[in-house]
Amino acid sequence: MSTPMSDADFLELQSLRQERKQLHQERESLIQANYRLQQMNLALIDRVEAAPDVGGRAYAAFENSALLAEQVRERTAALNAALVDLRDSNQALKQAHIEIETLHNRLMDAIESMADAFVLFDEQKRMVLCNSRYREIWQRYDLPVQVGTTLTEITRYATDVLLDDATTQEEMQLYRQVYGQVVRLKDGRWLQVNQRETSTGDLSILYTDITRLKAIETERREAALAEKSRVLQSTLENLSQGVVLISDRGIPEVWNSRLTELMAIQERELRDCLDFPLMLNRIFDRADLGSPLSGVLLSEDNMLSEVAGTDGSVLEIRQRPRAEGGRVITFSDVTERSLFAKALQQSEQKMRLITDALPAMICYINACLEYEFTNRAYQKWHGLQRDELLGRHLSEVYSAHQLQRLARYIDRVIQGDTVSFEVDEANQQGESRYLYKSYVPHISATGETLGFFVLTQDITERRQTAQALRDANVLLEQRVEVRTSELSEAKKQAEQANISKTKFLAAISHDLLQPVNAARLFNSALTEYPLEKAAQQLVYSTGSSLNDIEGLIGALVDISKLDAGVVEAQMGAFSLDALLENLCYEYQCQAALKQQRFRSRVVSCTVCSDSQLLGRILRNFLTNASRYTDPGGQVLLASRKRGEYVSIEVWDTGEGIEAGKMSEIFREFSRLKRNASDKGLGLGLAIVEKIARVLNHRIQVRSIPGKGSVFSIEVPLANPDKIVCTESLPLMHKADPLEGRPVLVIDNDPAICHGMEQLLDGWGVDVMVALGRDDACQLIDDGFSPDLILVDYHLDNGVTGINVARELNERMVDPVPVIVVTANYSGTLNVEIKAAQYQLLKKPVKPMNLRLLMGQLIR
């Protein structure tokens, strides 16, 4: 593609014409001088022949005339040789013009096809060339951007007129951190500026419009399409070629005004045209430009055609198929192509500036192994100028030894193979360096190798770095072995410390909850006795305090175990109905005591989770909802299916949570509101968040201040067929099933044994207590036959309640149900108790739960 002639190109063209005029003047001068010499020679001969011979002067004059004649012949021969050289130079100049024009077109096509604005300044910082994107930036502000405009003028005008002074330093600094050097225009656009100075002092600047990155996708796409359409139309109108896009049926779709000018046709004719190739045939026939071209245009083999007119004009026709169908046809007037040779030579020099700015050594060698192109880095390596290298054979630059080392690679690239290799070579200072060379063949359309490109990079530092890395790697491997040994020992110590920590947590859970459990049992036993009203109030207050202590200790133990990672989820499929029904029954009573309305909307489904941990999360949700809801308010427990999940939600009509404090509610010991009667530590939601992370369930919170909050958890649905069927416990009869039934209680804490004995006696149970395995075995051997065994998990000397219960059932004729009481919340223990087909009851024991479970197990 050709571009409009700039002022610099016009000046160069005038200079070319002036030089050609001078050459013609010198040629005329030489012809006139030769004519004068011939006339002088004839005059001298006539004079010699007419004059008498006195003292041999006639012979001397004859010798002089002969000498002058010889000089005339020599000058005539020199003149003829000069004329031949001038003709050859003109022919070479024409060929060079054509090649340089091609290079210029490619360079301008590459610059014009860039999506960013590009401008090049010379060493005096005067603009040399730019693409249409750069002109578009400043022309919309009426900035006179043209060839020769200095960078100082553009910068001053941009600073005074275009830059937005309202931009804050923080905003500008933020953009510079992301995009580097940026400027903002008054119309709100942001431009990223990338500039680079070449070795010759030229300055290339690339402007990238980053405003669209802030726009939404739809606006950006529409803006991009509009910009492309505008740029395409602008580009077509600015082309020196005539361009037309025709459909696969030959109908012209898009064209520029240059086409109508070259073809001498009207816009109306193009709009009404239904067969463009046929129209061309008529035009060419009418203008006597050549034979009909319809076959040429519609043939995929003829992509380039030239038509010569009788007046000497030449029209070049190019066509290219379109992916969506049809063709793009261009018409170029190439008659004056030779006039642009000098300007294109200047463009080649500019292109050379670009290659000279590259750090790699680049050259082109023809098939005769002669240099045709070298960049500055290549010349510097060999210590020769460009004129000293061009046209020279490789053997004149490389020694015989070096050329012999490169011979096999040269043979391969001449055969058409791309070759890359490493070789050591000395530079002009005699310093040996490692080079990475790539030979790329230049193959013609006929398959002949015309030459090859050479790309050379100095990799000495990289080789040295690689060797240093290898040496460092050996040392590193040795250090790694030592460090690995140290880490293995540290890992053993850490694992041992972790085991000790886990045991400590289990022990402290048991030791903390033991006295609380005993106190609860004693307090529950007191409620079975007839007491005065004042004494009953004391018992109730004691129970309330024990509940607070139990909650505080349980929360601290839970948070410690979750942080230690000892809580493991026992995932399995189970029916969600039973869990939610128990929660509804449990919290209906609590809501009634607080004069709150409790409602539920539960769907029947099967989920995959840990029922105990999931129940713990929902109880915390319900407890918080009840705590922050005033009397007369409502609490709702609901579940709804959402695709592959079921969302379990707890709604309340409390005060709600402000948006700014939403992230604080899951922090440990965080309380948004503290009542005087509320003795919690603010660990409930922190425990919920940690348990949800163990279960890999997502928690969501929605809240409107003044209206209430919604806490929800998403639990994956499961196939009902995957539920493990277990023998259901028998229902309780209306009559008290515990009355007079023998029960064996085993615990190593005398206070627990005494409190449990008092509690069960109050229920009418025939209870026997044992402080360990030996006491329990002795009771069985003495003939005591219990209907139920209630055993603590942690006994003395590392003995577990599961093993003791198993041994006792083996001693009896008929095995009896077993309830294992423990403060250990680990998943491993749960699995062990389920495997033994025993029932689990966690400390501190709630008397109501204990009585219900015992009534279900005893028939």
Side-chain angles (χ1 to χ4, degrees):
M1 128 182 194
S2 299
T3 58
M5 185 183 301
S6 63
D7 293 343
D9 293 339
F10 180 77
L11 293 176
E12 293 296 337
L13 180 59
Q14 293 296 331
S15 177
L16 173 62
R17 291 175 175 172
Q18 187 66 27
E19 290 180 2
R20 294 188 64 184
K21 184 177 180 181
Q22 291 177 0
L23 288 175
H24 284 294
Q25 291 175 354
E26 292 177 1
R27 178 170 174 262
E28 294 295 332
S29 177
L30 290 173
I31 292 175
Q32 293 177 4
N34 185 40
Y35 176 76
R36 286 195 299 270
L37 289 174
Q38 289 177 351
Q39 295 298 322
M40 291 173 63
N41 184 35
L42 293 175
L44 289 172
I45 292 174
D46 292 340
R47 184 177 179 183
V48 169
E49 290 177 350
D53 186 6
V54 180
R57 285 183 295 177
Y59 181 77
F62 175 77
E63 286 183 343
N64 288 335
S65 64
L67 179 60
L68 290 173
E70 182 65 26
Q71 291 178 354
V72 168
R73 284 193 298 273
E74 290 178 356
R75 294 198 178 186
T76 302
L79 177 60
N80 292 331
L83 291 175
V84 172
D85 293 340
L86 179 60
R87 185 172 60 254
D88 294 342
S89 298
N90 287 337
Q91 186 64 29
L93 182 60
K94 291 179 181 179
Q95 183 63 28
H97 290 171
I98 296 174
E99 295 177 356
I100 292 173
E101 181 184 7
T102 303
L103 293 175
H104 179 267
N105 288 339
R106 291 176 180 173
L107 176 61
M108 294 308 299
D109 285 344
I111 295 176
E112 191 63 29
S113 64
M114 295 171 60
D116 301 328
F118 174 82
V119 61
L120 178 65
F121 296 91
D122 59 14
E123 58 184 0
Q124 282 79 30
K125 299 301 179 287
R126 292 177 301 196
M127 193 176 78
V128 177
L129 61 88
C130 67
N131 63 358
S132 59
R133 281 28 172 228
Y134 184 78
R135 290 192 294 272
E136 290 168 8
I137 293 176
W138 305 118
Q139 285 176 355
R140 69 175 57 190
Y141 301 102
D142 298 329
L143 177 64
V145 176
Q146 57 185 355
V147 174
T149 304
T150 64
L151 179 61
T152 303
E153 294 174 351
I154 297 176
T155 303
R156 181 175 63 253
Y157 189 88
T159 303
D160 297 339
V161 179
L162 299 182
L163 295 185
D164 188 0
D165 296 333
T167 304
T168 62
Q169 293 295 330
E170 293 79 8
E171 187 176 6
M172 182 66 72
Q173 184 177 4
L174 176 62
Y175 270 85
R176 286 177 177 171
Q177 289 176 356
V178 178
Y179 299 105
Q181 181 63 30
V182 295
V183 294
R184 184 176 184 181
L185 307 182
K186 279 193 175 295
D187 60 0
R189 290 187 302 155
W190 290 82
L191 297 179
Q192 181 183 16
V193 183
N194 293 296
Q195 60 182 15
R196 178 176 180 180
E197 185 173 350
T198 65
S199 59
T200 59
D202 290 356
L203 181 65
S204 61
I205 305 178
L206 192 68
Y207 294 85
T208 303
D209 190 344
I210 60 174
T211 308
R212 297 181 193 171
L213 298 179
K214 298 171 65 63
I216 62 176
E217 187 63 24
T218 303
E219 294 177 352
R220 181 171 56 190
R221 186 182 298 108
E222 292 176 353
L225 291 176
E227 180 68 14
K228 288 181 180 178
S229 177
R230 189 185 66 79
V231 171
L232 175 60
Q233 189 63 36
S234 175
T235 302
L236 290 177
E237 291 300 326
N238 289 321
L239 289 177
S240 62
Q241 299 170 312
V243 181
V244 60
L245 281 69
I246 63 172
S247 66
D248 52 357
R249 294 183 296 176
I251 300 175
E253 297 177 343
V254 180
W255 59 86
N256 62 354
S257 58
R258 180 60 174 164
L259 174 69
T260 61
E261 178 183 350
L262 289 176
M263 305 304 299
I265 56 178
Q266 300 296 326
E267 291 278 345
R268 177 180 53 80
E269 296 179 66
L270 285 172
R271 285 194 295 268
D272 299 336
C273 177
L274 298 178
D275 192 344
F276 187 75
L278 182 59
M279 174 188 285
L280 288 181
N281 291 338
R282 295 172 181 172
I283 293 173
F284 291 142
D285 288 340
R286 184 172 65 248
D288 194 20
L289 291 176
S291 59
L293 300 179
S294 60
V296 175
L297 290 176
L298 299 180
S299 173
E300 295 184 359
D301 296 331
N302 298 320
M303 305 304 294
L304 174 63
S305 302
E306 288 187 356
V307 180
T310 57
D311 59 350
S313 63
V314 180
L315 194 63
E316 182 186 79
I317 304 174
R318 294 176 180 267
Q319 61 174 335
R320 185 178 299 276
R322 298 162 57 192
E324 61 273 20
R327 298 182 184 281
V328 179
I329 307 175
T330 60
F331 301 80
S332 304
D333 185 358
V334 296
T335 307
E336 301 297 331
R337 180 177 292 174
S338 59
L339 299 178
F340 295 93
K342 188 66 177 178
L344 295 178
Q345 183 179 7
Q346 182 67 23
S347 299
E348 183 205 8
Q349 294 176 355
K350 293 175 182 177
M351 186 184 66
R352 181 178 292 278
L353 290 176
I354 297 175
T355 59
D356 287 344
L358 298 176
M361 293 176 278
I362 303 173
C363 72
Y364 176 78
I365 302 173
N366 60 24
C368 299
L369 303 186
E370 296 175 344
Y371 288 98
E372 290 191 1
F373 176 84
T374 59
N375 71 339
R376 188 180 302 276
Y378 194 92
Q379 300 159 17
K380 183 178 180 182
W381 174 266
H382 291 283
L384 298 173
Q385 297 298 323
R386 179 172 44 134
D387 296 337
E388 296 175 325
L389 283 171
L390 297 184
R392 297 182 66 177
H393 195 272
L394 278 177
S395 58
E396 301 179 40
V397 178
Y398 286 95
S399 64
H401 175 68
Q402 291 175 321
L403 200 57
Q404 183 179 5
R405 297 173 62 192
L406 301 176
R408 56 174 178 165
Y409 305 112
I410 296 175
D411 292 340
R412 288 181 57 187
V413 74
I414 293 298
Q415 294 173 3
D417 298 333
T418 299
V419 184
S420 297
F421 59 94
E422 294 183 7
V423 64
D424 60 303
E425 188 176 307
N427 57 16
Q428 60 172 339
Q429 288 85 15
E431 181 184 2
S432 180
R433 308 284 292 180
Y434 284 99
L435 302 180
Y436 181 79
K437 292 178 176 286
S438 295
Y439 290 172
V440 180
H442 176 205
I443 302 176
S444 66
T446 60
E448 178 185 2
T449 302
L450 303 179
F452 59 94
F453 300 91
V454 179
L455 177 64
T456 307
Q457 295 176 291
D458 190 346
I459 61 171
T460 306
E461 286 75 14
R462 188 169 66 188
R463 287 280 298 266
Q464 293 174 351
T465 302
Q467 183 61 38
L469 286 175
R470 285 192 292 269
D471 296 341
N473 188 41
V474 174
L475 179 61
L476 183 61
E477 289 179 354
Q478 297 175 354
R479 295 177 62 185
V480 165
E481 291 181 0
V482 176
R483 186 60 178 166
T484 301
S485 177
E486 295 175 353
L487 288 176
S488 298
E489 182 63 27
K491 181 181 178 182
K492 292 180 181 178
Q493 296 177 1
E495 289 176 350
Q496 185 62 37
N498 188 47
I499 294 173
S500 301
K501 181 180 179 180
T502 303
K503 292 181 178 179
F504 170 77
L505 288 174
I508 195 173
S509 301
H510 181 270
D511 294 343
L512 283 174
L513 294 177
Q514 278 289 89
V516 176
N517 188 40
R520 177 183 286 279
L521 293 175
F522 284 125
N523 192 74
S524 298
L526 285 175
T527 60
E528 300 297 331
Y529 291 94
L531 300 174
E532 297 180 357
K533 185 175 182 179
Q536 290 178 356
Q537 182 62 36
L538 290 175
V539 172
Y540 174 79
S541 299
T542 302
S544 177
S545 299
L546 290 174
N547 288 335
D548 294 340
I549 294 173
E550 175 188 340
L552 295 175
I553 295 176
L556 290 173
V557 172
D558 287 345
I559 205 74
S560 300
K561 290 184 177 181
L562 288 168
D563 289 339
V566 298
V567 177
E568 298 179 358
Q570 303 299 319
M571 306 298 289
F574 63 91
S575 175
L576 186 64
D577 307 2
L579 176 60
L580 297 184
E581 287 176 2
N582 289 337
L583 292 174
C584 291
Y585 176 77
E586 181 178 345
Y587 281 89
Q588 277 177 348
C589 300
Q590 295 186 14
L593 293 176
K594 293 186 177 182
Q595 299 179 359
Q596 298 169 350
R597 181 184 176 189
F598 183 86
R599 297 185 300 130
S600 61
R601 294 179 182 175
V602 178
V603 296
S604 179
C605 59
T606 303
V607 296
C608 179
S609 183
D610 186 315
S611 60
Q612 294 185 0
L613 295 179
L614 179 60
R616 186 65 181 276
I617 291 176
L618 296 177
R619 284 186 173 87
N620 274 285
F621 283 169
L622 290 167
T623 300
N624 277 357
S626 177
R627 178 181 301 165
Y628 294 107
T629 300
D630 296 332
Q634 297 184 19
V635 176
L636 170 65
L637 174 62
S639 63
R640 60 185 70 183
K641 294 181 180 179
R642 299 183 182 275
E644 298 180 354
Y645 296 87
V646 59
S647 177
I648 308 174
E649 303 172 349
V650 176
W651 298 63
D652 65 62
T653 58
E655 296 182 359
I657 305 170
E658 297 179 2
K661 298 182 179 180
M662 196 70 72
S663 59
E664 301 179 10
I665 60 177
F666 290 100
R667 296 178 184 173
E668 298 176 3
F669 306 104
S670 176
R671 302 288 303 279
L672 300 183
K673 180 181 178 182
R674 180 178 292 275
N675 298 327
S677 60
D678 190 0
K679 300 178 176 59
L681 293 176
L683 294 175
L685 292 179
I687 294 174
V688 165
E689 192 270 337
K690 294 178 184 296
I691 294 177
R693 196 182 305 164
V694 173
L695 295 175
N696 196 23
H697 294 346
R698 188 173 71 160
I699 294 176
Q700 291 182 317
V701 182
R702 306 190 305 272
S703 183
I704 300 177
K707 292 187 177 180
S709 305
V710 181
F711 287 79
S712 63
I713 181 170
E714 292 183 351
V715 184
L717 294 170
N719 189 344
D721 298 336
K722 295 183 178 181
I723 297 179
V724 179
C725 297
T726 57
E727 182 179 358
S728 60
L729 296 175
L731 297 175
M732 293 179 59
H733 298 282
K734 292 185 179 180
D736 190 354
L738 300 181
E739 185 71 29
R741 304 302 290 270
V743 174
L744 176 60
V745 177
I746 308 173
D747 200 304
N748 60 342
D749 189 338
I752 295 294
C753 290
H754 183 60
M756 189 65 73
E757 184 178 15
Q758 295 293 325
L759 178 63
L760 297 183
D761 279 341
W763 295 345
V765 177
D766 182 12
V767 59
M768 295 293 291
V769 297
L771 293 176
R773 169 190 172 280
D774 295 340
D775 292 347
C777 292
Q778 184 64 41
L779 289 173
I780 297 299
D781 293 341
D782 291 343
F784 182 69
S785 180
D787 290 343
L788 176 70
I789 298 176
L790 187 64
V791 59
D792 187 51
Y793 178 76
H794 292 284
L795 300 175
D796 292 335
N797 302 321
V799 178
T800 65
I802 295 177
N803 294 334
V804 172
R806 185 180 294 112
E807 182 179 354
L808 295 178
N809 274 324
E810 291 174 354
R811 289 174 177 265
M812 294 185 293
V813 177
D814 296 323
V816 299
V818 177
I819 298 176
V820 179
V821 182
T822 181
N824 191 341
Y825 291 83
S826 68
T828 304
L829 179 58
N830 295 345
V831 173
E832 184 180 0
I833 294 175
K834 288 182 180 179
Q837 297 183 352
Y838 296 161
Q839 298 297 318
L840 173 65
L841 193 64
K842 294 184 177 181
K843 293 182 180 180
V845 176
K846 294 183 179 180
M848 182 58 66
N849 294 342
L850 174 62
R851 186 164 187 171
L852 289 174
L853 182 58
M854 291 177 62
Q856 290 175 346
L857 293 175
I858 295 179
R859 295 290 299 271

